[in-house]
Every structure is written in structure tokens, then in C-alpha cells.
Amino acid sequence: MSVSSRTPRSPRTAPAKPSASARLGPSRAIQTPEHVEERGGPWRPPLDPLLTLAVAGLAACSIVTLQAATKHLIPGSPRYYVDRQVTYLIVGVICMLVLSRVDYARLRHLKYGIYALLLASILAVFALGHSAHGAQRAISLPFFSFQASELGKVFLVIALASYVVGRVRRLRERETTVRVMLGALVPAMLVIAQPDLGSGMVYMVIAFGLLFVAGTSWRHLTALLGLIVVSLTFILLAAPVAGVHVIKPYQEERLTAFLHPSANPQKQGYQQEEAKIAIGAGQKTGRGPNASQIPNGFVPESHTDFIFAAVGEQYGFVGAAVVLALYGLLISRTLRLVVLARDLFGTLLAGGVAAMLMFQVFVNVGMTVGIMPITGVTLPLMSYGGSSVITTMLAVGLLQSVYVQARASQAMKGRVLRH
């Protein structure tokens, strides 16, 4: 009997126990934060600290300025405007905090409803609004006058940003540019008809800013700028010569008065001339209790459209520099969020708000010092008014939501990499 020559089979070794990292597959790596082990790290505040600081600083400056500028406007009620502004700011802060805790991505699916609400609110003003200073812009509510054109700025940012994201593969097509601009033009024309020329201009700037941030072709953007120049030339120069007034005659005069303010200083150029006198009187540190231009009413609307003139006279160059520095901080943090946002929608929201804030600050301060036409654009967070304050706070709430979601996304990536 022959002995088998088969080589003995090597003993079977037990499979090696996989390491923790090997056991962690894709479904385990991407898990909710509550199931991921927390590692020590620096504490981060729930909101963007510098953005919050800028908002708080501007709110404080608004209260201090209104206290000095409006104490003589309502006999027997020196704190009338201040108390109401404080109320608006408190409501605005609550709205900001609530919106900051909402994932802004959910708003993208509501774009058509938000746009419809934008148009409906503006149209409601024509039916329910009250007239003031020759314009029908607001609906009277028990505590304040609701100005739909102000709230429409935030609605428009959300609606147009959502639409642009939906056409992300066709951003450089002419059809996309035309549709976005028409989406802003329709509510802008309704607002201008109230008439509220300033808000209508803000709407168009928001649309242009969104297209710019989204990466629209430079050829399209240049064509839009050319169209704007041609349109303004026709509206302000050619049409009036032909006897056609696209906008009201007094609006034409206000838009062109800054080019020759001394030609009629007692009428169209009055506000800008008096505002410049007030700012010049403030010199370096302001006149404080000795101020006379603003308290004595030489500058109309010094608590709303021309509040920067009140800052200049009361607190001089130093006060004006502080306010502008706070706006610089606010806008720089907004532009930072354009880069840090976790997705295109967040980038466009931040870009639209940045365009809105930059345009309003530049135009308002510019018309106060005489380098821009008077358009009725308010100074965000500084000008008195519930609609303006709450709208700006809602816009800041959107920015805070973008910040919170971007921070959460970065934290999640860091946790996945550590595991």
C-alpha cells in the first residue's frame, strides 16, 4: 500500500480582525453629529460674531442719533421715535434669530410661493395702502405702516437665487439672464408706480448682483449696463423733451438736481444743500447739544432718508467714520459668506444681500453728501422705520443661516476625517 505523497495542507489561519477604521464604511462615516464622538476643540459662537457686532453697533448708533435728531419733532413726546425704533429693532432681532436657525435650503423649494407673495403684497398696497407725501407705498397696521416694497427685497433675493440654482447648467445662456432680469423688472415697475423709485432700483441691483455672483457671461452683464444707461438717458432726458414723462416730473427733477444743486437751492436742491451744511458744521467731533440744522428742522426727513446728515452734525467726522466702519464690517462679513457658503444657493443668497446693502449704503450716503441723486433709499438699520429695520434684520437672518450651515458642514467634514 503506497503512502500518499500529498503535501500536508497548511493549517487554516483565522481571519484578522478588521481595525476600527476598516469597519467604518461609507454609511458609518457619514452619520449625524449626535452619533459622532465629540473631540476637544475651540468653542464657536452660534452666530457670526463680527456680523452680529456690526448689526448691534449700527442699531446702537441709530438709537443715539434718533434721540438727538427727533426730540423736538413731536411736542411733549421727545422719545416717540426712539421708543418705536427700539421696538422695531427688538422685533427684528427676534426675526433674525428665528431665521438663523432655519436651514436656508428649505426656502429654495418655496420660490414660486415667495415670488407670488412678493407680487401680491405689492399689489395689495394699491388697494389697501394710504397716501403720504404724494405716494401710496404702505398699508397702515396697528403699530406701524407696512411697506411691502421693503420686505419684497428679501423675497426677491430668495426667489431669484432659487431660480438661478435651478438653471445652474444654463447660467451662461442669454435666456437665463433675460428671465432673471424680467423677474426683477416686474415687481420693480409695480413699486416705481407707487411711486417708490429707490426700492425699484434696489430690485434691479439685486438681480444684477445675483447674475454677477453666479458667473453670468461678461458680455451679458455689459449689455445690461448699456441698456440701463440708454434707459436712464431716455427717461430723464429724451422723453421729457418730447413731452412724455415715464416717471413723475418731480422725480425727474430730484434725480437730476444733484448735477446742479445751486441752480434752484430753495426747491429741488434744498435737501442736499442743507444736508451738506449740517455735515460741514459737525467738523471733527460734532456739535453735540449745540447742533442747530437738524434739531431746528432745516433738513427734511433727517430721521429717515437723511439720517446720515444728523450723524455728521451731531458727531462730526468721528461719528460718521464709526458708522461707515460698521457698514464696512457688515458688508465685508457678507462678502466672506459668499465664499464660505456650503453650496451655490447659500452663495447667491449672500451675494444678493451684499448687493442690496452695498447699493443702499452707497446711494444713501452719496445723496446726503451731494454725489448721488435723491431716490428715497433708506440707510439700513440707521433710518427710522419698521419695514426697513425688520427687512434688514431678516436679510441678516439669512446671512446667519448661511454661516450656521457652513460651519456645520465644515465641522462634519472635520469629524469624518478624524474618524
Side-chain angles (χ1 to χ4, degrees):
M1 184 174 180
S2 61
V3 181
S4 175
S5 60
R6 290 182 303 173
T7 57
R9 186 176 297 176
S10 59
R12 183 173 297 174
T13 58
K17 187 177 181 179
S19 62
S21 59
R23 293 198 308 269
L24 186 62
S27 61
R28 294 288 303 276
I30 304 176
Q31 52 185 317
T32 56
E34 56 268 22
H35 297 304
V36 181
E37 180 186 356
E38 289 289 345
R39 303 291 181 88
W43 177 83
R44 294 182 178 182
L47 300 176
D48 186 330
L50 292 181
L51 180 62
T52 306
L53 175 63
V55 171
L58 289 170
C61 290
S62 175
I63 297 301
V64 172
T65 304
L66 288 174
Q67 175 67 39
T70 63
K71 58 184 178 182
H72 300 300
L73 292 182
I74 306 294
S77 300
R79 291 186 56 85
Y80 175 83
Y81 289 100
V82 173
D83 292 341
R84 292 172 73 90
Q85 185 78 342
V86 170
T87 303
Y88 300 148
L89 287 168
I90 292 174
V91 174
V93 168
I94 294 173
C95 292
M96 180 196 74
L97 293 175
V98 171
L99 192 54
S100 69
R101 311 316 296 176
V102 176
D103 186 353
Y104 63 86
R106 298 179 181 179
L107 301 174
R108 180 184 166 192
H109 306 292
L110 304 175
K111 60 175 180 274
Y112 295 115
I114 290 175
Y115 189 77
L117 183 60
L118 162 64
L119 296 180
S121 61
I122 295 174
L123 291 174
V125 174
F126 290 100
L128 305 175
H130 68 276
S131 298
H133 303 291
Q136 188 172 348
R137 303 177 184 176
I139 300 175
S140 294
L141 297 177
F143 298 102
F144 74 107
S145 295
F146 169 68
Q147 197 166 343
S149 59
E150 286 289 336
L151 189 59
K153 298 171 185 177
V154 176
F155 286 165
L156 188 67
V157 170
I158 298 172
L160 291 186
S162 303
Y163 180 78
V164 171
V165 172
R167 294 180 63 89
V168 65
R169 298 183 181 277
R170 306 173 65 181
L171 287 178
R172 301 183 69 83
E173 294 182 7
R174 181 175 59 184
E175 182 182 359
T176 300
T177 303
V178 172
R179 288 188 178 186
V180 171
M181 295 306 297
L182 284 177
L185 183 62
V186 172
M189 295 304 295
L190 292 174
V191 166
I192 292 174
Q194 290 179 357
D196 186 356
L197 180 61
S199 294
M201 294 171 62
V202 174
Y203 286 8
M204 301 307 295
V205 169
I206 288 173
F208 188 89
L210 285 173
L211 290 173
F212 175 79
V213 173
T216 301
S217 169
W218 279 102
R219 183 177 58 183
H220 294 170
L221 295 178
T222 303
L224 286 175
L225 289 176
L227 181 62
I228 292 172
V229 172
V230 172
S231 300
L232 290 176
T233 303
F234 173 77
I235 292 172
L236 298 178
L237 299 178
V241 171
V244 178
H245 296 280
V246 181
I247 57 178
K248 296 184 180 297
Y250 82 89
Q251 290 179 307
E252 297 172 1
E253 295 172 353
R254 291 180 68 185
L255 288 173
T256 57
F258 80 105
L259 298 174
H260 41 80
S262 58
N264 195 350
Q266 298 301 319
K267 195 174 180 182
Q268 290 82 14
Y270 176 79
Q271 275 181 298
Q272 285 187 327
E273 286 297 296
E274 294 297 327
K276 288 189 288 185
I277 292 173
I279 293 174
Q283 299 184 9
K284 292 182 181 180
T285 57
R287 302 185 65 186
N290 297 320
S292 58
Q293 291 292 113
I294 301 298
N296 292 329
F298 287 102
V299 183
E301 307 299 333
S302 60
H303 61 300
T304 54
D305 296 350
F306 281 81
I307 194 170
F308 191 75
V311 174
E313 184 181 24
Q314 292 284 340
Y315 309 106
F317 174 81
V318 174
V322 169
V323 170
L324 292 178
L326 289 171
Y327 279 119
L329 178 61
L330 175 65
I331 293 172
S332 67
R333 299 304 290 182
T334 304
L335 294 176
R336 181 174 179 269
L337 291 175
V338 173
V339 179
L340 295 183
R342 72 179 183 185
D343 53 23
L344 178 60
F345 186 44
T347 295
L348 292 176
L349 289 179
V353 173
M356 179 186 80
L357 293 175
M358 286 190 292
F359 181 78
Q360 289 192 224
V361 172
F362 178 77
V363 171
N364 183 277
V365 175
M367 73 182 189
T368 305
V369 299
I371 63 172
M372 292 293 291
I374 301 175
T375 56
V377 174
T378 58
L379 192 58
L381 295 178
M382 284 289 296
S383 295
Y384 168 81
S387 298
S388 175
V389 169
I390 294 174
T391 295
T392 306
M393 284 296 191
L394 286 172
V396 174
L398 280 179
L399 297 177
Q400 297 286 17
S401 178
V402 173
Y403 171 81
V404 169
Q405 298 303 321
R407 190 190 64 180
S409 179
Q410 291 174 356
M412 178 64 69
K413 291 178 182 178
R415 289 167 179 167
V416 171
L417 290 176
R418 287 197 300 267
H419 284 72

